[in-house]
Structures are given as C-alpha cells and as structure tokens.
C-alpha cells in the first residue's frame, strides 16, 4: 500500500487510544489528523466531564525548576466567557506515563523490522559499540567535528554531552529527540522500530550534525521527556 | 552497495544501482530524486574513519542521468572554520594577495551511486 502511494518510508500505524504526531508536510497528515480527532471524540464520550465548566483557551506553558521548593509546570490560559487571563500550577509529569505509553506503542513494530535495523546498525558502528547496544541499549560516539559526545539510546532521546569546564566529568547539554515521519504522543516511541530511530540519529549526526540539532526536539535534561 | 531507506513497514528497503539491471537502476534513480524533493536526508558514505566506521555526508542533489550523488566537497569530520592565525601564515608564505571569501555556491563533488552505500531518513516529526 505504501509503495503504491510512493511513500518510501512507509505509512505509520495508527493505534487505538494513542495519538500520532505526524510531520506536517507528510502527504497523509490530514488522514492521521482525522484519526486523532476520532481518538479525541472517544476520550470525550468516555469522560464524565462537567459540561457547565468554563471554556478555556491555553495560551502557553513553561516549567519552573523551583516553586516553593518543587518543580512545577505553569499553564497560562484565557477564560473565553470573561476574556480574563489566569494561571495554574501543575505538578511535573512523571516518567511512568511515558514509559507505559512506550510499552503500548510496541505493538506497532515487528521483530523482522528490528532485526533488519540491527543488521544495518552493526555495519555502522564498531563491534564494541554494538555489544554495548545489545547489552544496555546505549552506546557512545564522539563527534570529531564539534567535540560533542553523544549517548545514543534505544527508545530514549540522545544525550549530548561535553567535558565539564573543570575537566573532571561531563555536563549534559540537551536531550535530542527525533522521530522520522511520526511519533506517538506522550511516549518515547516513534513510528519506526526503535533501532531505526537510533540509526536515523546516528546517520544524521555523522552526515550533517547541524541538521541533526535543527531537526531534533531539544529537551532540557531535567524534563521527564529527556528520559533521565 | 545500496541505499537503505528507513521504513515503517517491513523494515528498511534497499535501493540498488546495479548497472546490470537498468530497469531497477532507473527506478532507484527516480525514487532518490523524489525523496530529495520530499525533504529526505540522504546520508552518503564517503569513506571510513580510523575505527573502520562509515563517514557520511549529506547529499545535496542527485543526477538522474548519471546516477551520481552531488555532495558538499569538505571533510565532515573537520571543523568548518580554520583559525585566523594559520590563514595569515599561509598567505605570508606564498606572498599572494588575500583571497576574498566567495559568496554563492559552495564546491561540490560527485559520488557514483553504485559505488557507495547510504541511509535515507524521512522528514521528522520532532519528539
């Protein structure tokens, strides 16, 4: 079906109860948007939300590393009836939801895909790095161009690190998250099998490091999305 | 030697530019052109590093007639900016007038598609 549609990277698989975030210029993005709306409708029909609650429009949200001693997410919103702006403080999200959703998305991948991806990755990295990947799901690679050390991780964002200023240890710069075509919302899962995502990170870092950073979502290390 | 296209479905697909199969070669060339048009990043192997790992360079374009990737002509492992001191010393040694930096197209080189391998990555949806 994907070949007939000339989709050389294939068609992402929609899953019940999970929204797919698709690259906006993808030709079938509208179809997936309609699917996400169906998921929204199903969620709305299943919830017992009070219909008299005021309609609000979210304006922006940001994270405070410390508010009264704890990290919080501040959400600024506008109440549509009155036009007044208000704020609310939310506790930080934990990794558990991301982890469970990632587990749920695993039904979209096949063992054959992953096996092919592992073979390709084995041709791209050293035997030692491949052993590290098989045992721990991670491996390190230093960029000679920028001097940045990358920790590539299966089903987690890649960690970019540099030696610390005092020379003892390293400091993390960012967690770089990137999924070709699509990813499942509120999870670390991409539409492609986990090792294909790692290959995409590695190949882009080696071939065009600037583009790798440009195309990646850069999460702060203390955010749950960073997966640390 | 083939181009691995990262694929959602049944795993990565391989495009071959084998000269003994002209039909497949033409099909592969058309797919590569189409992928570049759609914003795919084509990372082409341009050599091996000290640990025998492939070194990649992103393809800027593709010549469908000759089946050649057009890539930027620089070493991706070397920092892009040279230190100012080394540039000055080179000019002093050769006694040549300072060369003004040229704007416009950067130097490119061609790599035959049937003699190299690579990885094609589709446009990304963030994370």
């Amino acid at each position: 079906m994907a070949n007939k549609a000339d989709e050389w990277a294939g068609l992402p698989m929609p899953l019940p109860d999970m929204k797919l975030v698709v690259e906006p210029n993808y030709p079938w993005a509208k179809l997936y948007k309609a699917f996400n709306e169906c998921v929204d409708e199903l969620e709305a029909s299943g919830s017992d939300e009070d219909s008299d609650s005021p309609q609000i429009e979210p304006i922006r949200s940001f994270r405070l590393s410390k508010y009264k001693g704890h990290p919080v997410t501040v959400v600024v919103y506008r109440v549509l009836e009155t036009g007044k702006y208000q704020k609310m403080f939310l506790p930080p999200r934990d990794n558990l939801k991301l982890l469970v959703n990632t587990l749920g998305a695993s039904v979209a991948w096949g063992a054959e895909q992953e096996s092919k991806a592992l073979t390709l990755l084995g041709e791209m990295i050293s035997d030692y790095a491949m052993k590290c990947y098989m045992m721990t799901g991670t491996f390190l690679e230093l960029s000679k161009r920028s001097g940045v050390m990358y920790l590539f991780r299966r089903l987690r964002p890649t960690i970019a690190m540099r030696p610390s200023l005092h020379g003892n240890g390293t400091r993390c710069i960012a967690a770089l998250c990137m999924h070709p075509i699509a990813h499942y919302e509120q999870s670390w899962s991409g539409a492609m099998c986990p090792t294909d995502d790692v290959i995409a990170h590695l190949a882009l870092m080696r071939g065009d490091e600037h583009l790798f950073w440009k195309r990646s979502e850069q999460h702060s290390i203390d955010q749950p999305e960073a997966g640390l | 030697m083939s181009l691995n296209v990262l694929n959602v479905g049944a795993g990565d697909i391989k495009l071959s530019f084998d000269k003994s199969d002209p039909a497949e070669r033409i099909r592969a060339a058309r797919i590569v052109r189409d992928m570049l048009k759609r914003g795919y990043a084509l990372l082409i192997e341009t050599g091996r590093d000290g640990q025998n790992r492939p070194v990649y360079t992103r393809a800027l374009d593709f010549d469908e007639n000759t089946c050649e990737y057009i890539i930027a002509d620089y070493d991706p492992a070397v920092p892009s900016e040279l230190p100012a001191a080394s540039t000055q010393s080179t000019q002093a040694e050769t006694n040549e007038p300072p060369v003004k930096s040229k704007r416009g197209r950067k130097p490119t080189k061609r790599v035959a598609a049937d003699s190299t391998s690579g990885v094609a990555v589709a446009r990304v949806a963030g994370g």
Side-chain angles (χ1 to χ4, degrees), chain B residues 63-83:
Chain B
D63 190 334
E64 209 172 320
N65 299 318
T66 56
C67 281
E68 288 175 323
Y69 298 109
I70 297 163
I71 62 171
D73 190 10
Y74 74 97
D75 184 354
V78 174
S80 55
E81 289 179 7
L82 287 169

Side-chain angles (χ1 to χ4, degrees), chain A:
Chain A
M1 187 176 162
N3 280 346
K4 282 186 180 176
D6 287 351
E7 287 307 328
W8 315 119
L11 299 168
M13 184 185 284
L15 294 174
D17 303 332
M18 288 192 85
K19 283 188 191 174
L20 258 174
V21 181
V22 183
E23 197 273 313
N25 293 328
Y26 186 66
W28 302 82
K30 281 183 184 172
L31 188 72
Y32 288 103
K33 195 181 169 191
F35 175 79
N36 285 343
E37 284 168 2
C38 289
V39 174
D40 280 341
E41 280 175 22
L42 280 172
E43 280 177 0
S45 63
S47 67
D48 52 353
E49 201 176 315
D50 184 8
S51 58
D52 294 335
S53 60
Q55 296 286 311
I56 60 165
E57 178 196 8
I59 303 298
R60 67 171 299 207
S61 68
F62 55 91
R63 195 176 149 83
L64 287 177
S65 56
K66 259 190 184 177
Y67 177 76
K68 293 183 180 174
H70 300 284
V72 290
T73 302
V74 185
V75 180
V76 180
Y77 61 94
R78 190 165 67 94
V79 182
L80 294 178
E81 287 172 7
T82 59
K84 282 186 178 176
Y85 289 88
Q86 294 186 352
K87 64 180 182 299
M88 63 178 158
F89 298 96
L90 299 174
R93 266 182 298 171
D94 58 6
N95 286 359
L96 187 63
K97 190 178 180 186
L98 291 165
L99 202 59
V100 171
N101 284 345
T102 303
L103 188 66
S106 64
V107 295
W109 312 313
E112 190 192 352
Q113 286 168 264
E114 183 66 6
S115 170
K116 280 186 182 177
L118 282 170
T119 307
L120 179 60
L121 184 68
E123 293 165 8
M124 293 171 72
I125 59 177
S126 66
D127 292 346
Y128 176 70
M130 191 64 194
K131 187 190 169 195
C132 290
Y133 184 73
M134 295 302 286
M135 296 296 167
T136 66
T138 61
F139 64 91
L140 282 166
E141 184 158 322
L142 176 72
S143 165
K144 285 181 185 168
R145 186 174 169 82
S146 65
V148 174
M149 177 76 85
Y150 293 94
L151 179 66
F152 293 98
R153 303 186 296 168
R154 180 192 168 97
L155 289 174
R156 296 288 185 281
T158 295
I159 305 293
M161 299 175 285
R162 264 189 189 282
S164 62
L165 295 173
H166 307 294
N168 49 354
T170 54
R171 65 186 171 93
C172 296
I173 305 169
L176 305 172
C177 194
M178 181 194 82
H179 301 283
I181 302 185
H183 66 94
Y184 296 98
E185 202 176 62
Q186 298 287 310
S187 80
W188 287 300
S189 314
M192 290 184 181
C193 65
T195 302
D196 267 345
D197 276 350
V198 174
I199 291 170
H201 282 225
L202 177 67
L204 261 181
M205 186 282 287
R206 283 189 189 165
D208 194 337
E209 201 172 354
H210 177 76
L211 188 72
F212 174 50
W213 279 78
K214 193 176 161 188
R215 286 195 174 178
S216 298
E217 188 82 34
Q218 296 173 23
H219 296 299
S220 171
I221 292 299
D222 58 349
Q223 284 180 315
E225 288 83 355
L228 280 173

Side-chain angles (χ1 to χ4, degrees), chain B residues 23-69:
Chain B
E24 178 59 24
R25 192 174 158 92
I26 291 167
R27 178 179 166 269
R30 284 186 182 160
I31 291 173
V32 169
R33 282 292 302 166
D34 190 48
M35 284 196 294
L36 282 169
K37 204 171 79 178
R38 292 180 189 214
Y40 281 57
L42 267 60
L43 294 318
I44 306 305
E45 187 180 330
T46 50
R48 295 259 161 178
D49 67 1
Q51 294 180 42
N52 201 29
R53 296 178 305 195
V55 175
Y56 292 105
T57 306
R58 190 159 75 96
L60 304 172
D61 205 349
F62 184 76
D63 190 334
E64 209 172 320
N65 299 318
T66 56
C67 281
E68 288 175 323
Y69 298 109

